[in-house]
Amino acid sequence: MRDFWLACGHHLTERNADGHLLITDEFLKAYLARPELAPPPEACAVERGLRTALLADPRRAIGADHIAAIEDVDARENWRLMIAFRDQLLRHETLEAAYLDLISRKVGDTPPLFVNQLVHVILRNALDGCSDPFVLRAAELLFRPQRLTIHEGALIGADEETLGGTGAAALSPLVSMLGISAAAEIDILTGNNAESYWGRSDLFDMAFDLTAGRRGPTALAEAIGRWLQHMLGVDATVEPLSEMRSVPLIWYIGLDAEGTRIGDALWHGEDLDEKTQRRVVGLFRLTFGNSEENAVYLILAMTADGVLRMKPQNLLVGLPPRCPASLI
């Protein structure tokens, strides 16, 4: 079996009998390697001592008074957030349980970076054994924002962080439109280059075709289904739809803030102008069993500036009470 997403740290965890990820000391120590927590040469003795103590025992109890004694304001805040997140993990046996509890309390002041990293490693577990690079690339949307553009009639998404650099002359029309630096290399995932995904999955440098009716939305539907099955233990059919006409939005879930806003507008009978309609990236129908009577519709949309920030927690907390997977 080929590995992928090595940087998420899944190899530092262990699985329980249910296949969920146990929180190990090795996994906790990986957070201590983050550059934000590496004391600079001028760091105070308290900050240096705190990191040393946690490297020896990452589960050691750390009180608010200990963190308050750190001299540097930024370091103090970084450690406050880190210890709060660590304590959230330690209150649960598995990463999945910690995540479900976190989203049930609306995340609070947990940094989005930490939430996305949890989704990353949990999805790596949920997709273990997956042999389809299209499904794996689609799953990246659940924890990494994408920048979207129309390229040669197709809706193409590329990793926003990877596109963060700016530089000299672009290498191709796609690179130019997405604002990638001349030093960056990016390919659109296709059947011809799909095998290369395995060697570059941690680079997040492959763009993805999300055009309705093509392979991308179908792969994303499978990734969504795998996420739901792993987190809530139920099987559901998720299928992409090509248009929103005559769709009975009896129950809908916005898979991001824009999708929620658009769903709310439709629910209240508002007409969507052409500009808003163009923001819709995907529409999916979710059903349990073979019945479409109680279908749930999932709406995925990008912001006005073409960024897609998917919120996979919306799916887990937004299902109606009648569904077997509902957390309500």
Side-chain angles (χ1 to χ4, degrees):
M1 183 188 71
R2 286 176 288 192
D3 209 345
F4 59 97
W5 299 351
L6 300 178
C8 73
H10 72 95
H11 57 288
L12 301 176
T13 65
E14 299 175 359
R15 290 189 179 97
N16 67 4
D18 295 324
H20 287 189
L21 298 175
L22 297 170
I23 300 163
T24 65
D25 287 359
E26 290 74 17
F27 184 79
L28 294 174
K29 286 181 181 180
Y31 279 92
L32 300 175
R34 293 197 58 82
E36 300 93 330
L37 299 180
E42 67 274 15
C44 69
V46 174
E47 183 181 354
R48 294 196 304 270
L50 175 58
R51 187 167 183 269
T52 299
L54 287 173
L55 283 171
D57 178 11
R59 299 172 188 262
R60 178 173 178 169
I62 303 295
D65 55 340
H66 198 147
I67 296 175
I70 297 174
E71 293 178 0
D72 184 79
V73 175
D74 291 335
R76 195 159 60 233
E77 178 65 5
N78 287 340
W79 278 107
R80 183 188 71 80
L81 292 171
M82 175 60 215
I83 294 302
F85 179 68
R86 183 209 63 169
D87 290 348
Q88 166 66 17
L89 298 184
L90 292 180
R91 282 191 286 270
H92 303 273
E93 179 188 12
T94 66
L95 292 176
E96 285 87 348
Y99 177 78
L100 286 173
D101 177 70
L102 187 65
I103 64 173
S104 72
R105 296 185 288 103
K106 302 187 184 300
V107 177
D109 65 349
T110 303
L113 173 67
F114 287 169
V115 178
N116 287 338
Q117 286 177 339
L118 264 184
V119 174
H120 189 180
V121 69
I122 292 171
L123 260 177
R124 173 60 185 79
N125 189 30
L127 292 167
D128 194 52
C130 178
S131 60
D132 187 346
F134 282 84
V135 174
L136 300 181
R137 177 58 182 89
E140 292 178 17
L141 274 65
L142 277 69
F143 59 91
R144 291 185 70 90
Q146 307 287 307
R147 193 187 304 173
L148 279 71
T149 190
I150 300 297
H151 175 62
E152 297 181 354
L155 179 62
I156 303 297
D159 190 271
E160 185 183 31
E161 184 176 333
T162 302
L163 304 183
T166 57
L171 299 176
S172 71
L174 174 62
V175 168
S176 178
M177 283 187 287
L178 290 173
I180 308 170
S181 68
E185 294 183 8
I186 191 165
D187 300 311
I188 300 175
L189 181 66
T190 67
N192 292 330
N193 64 16
E195 283 298 307
S196 70
Y197 181 86
W198 301 105
R200 57 201 288 189
S201 68
D202 284 304
L203 298 177
F204 304 109
D205 64 348
M206 298 194 83
F208 194 58
D209 188 345
L210 285 163
T211 309
R214 296 187 182 176
R215 193 169 179 177
T218 300
L220 180 55
E222 182 173 340
I224 290 171
R226 293 278 289 262
W227 169 250
L228 181 61
Q229 196 286 327
H230 183 77
M231 295 303 298
L232 300 183
V234 296
D235 293 321
T237 298
V238 183
E239 56 182 322
L241 304 177
S242 59
E243 58 182 20
M244 298 181 65
R245 295 176 184 174
S246 302
V247 171
L249 291 181
I250 298 174
W251 196 282
Y252 62 91
I253 298 173
L255 296 178
D256 57 89
E258 283 297 312
T260 299
R261 186 182 67 79
I262 289 172
D264 290 346
L266 292 172
W267 176 262
H268 290 99
E270 300 177 19
D271 292 327
L272 302 182
D273 58 38
E274 186 176 344
K275 183 182 297 185
T276 301
Q277 291 180 36
R278 286 199 298 268
R279 293 183 192 170
V280 177
V281 175
L283 179 68
F284 303 85
R285 179 168 53 212
L286 185 154
T287 55
F288 295 92
N290 296 320
S291 174
E292 297 184 3
E293 181 180 352
N294 296 321
V296 176
Y297 291 90
L298 314 177
I299 304 172
L300 185 65
M302 58 181 163
T303 62
D305 57 351
V307 177
L308 176 64
R309 296 185 178 92
M310 195 168 173
K311 295 184 176 181
Q313 65 267 34
N314 288 8
L315 178 62
L316 303 181
V317 301
L319 293 172
R322 66 177 181 273
C323 290
S326 176
L327 291 180
I328 298 177

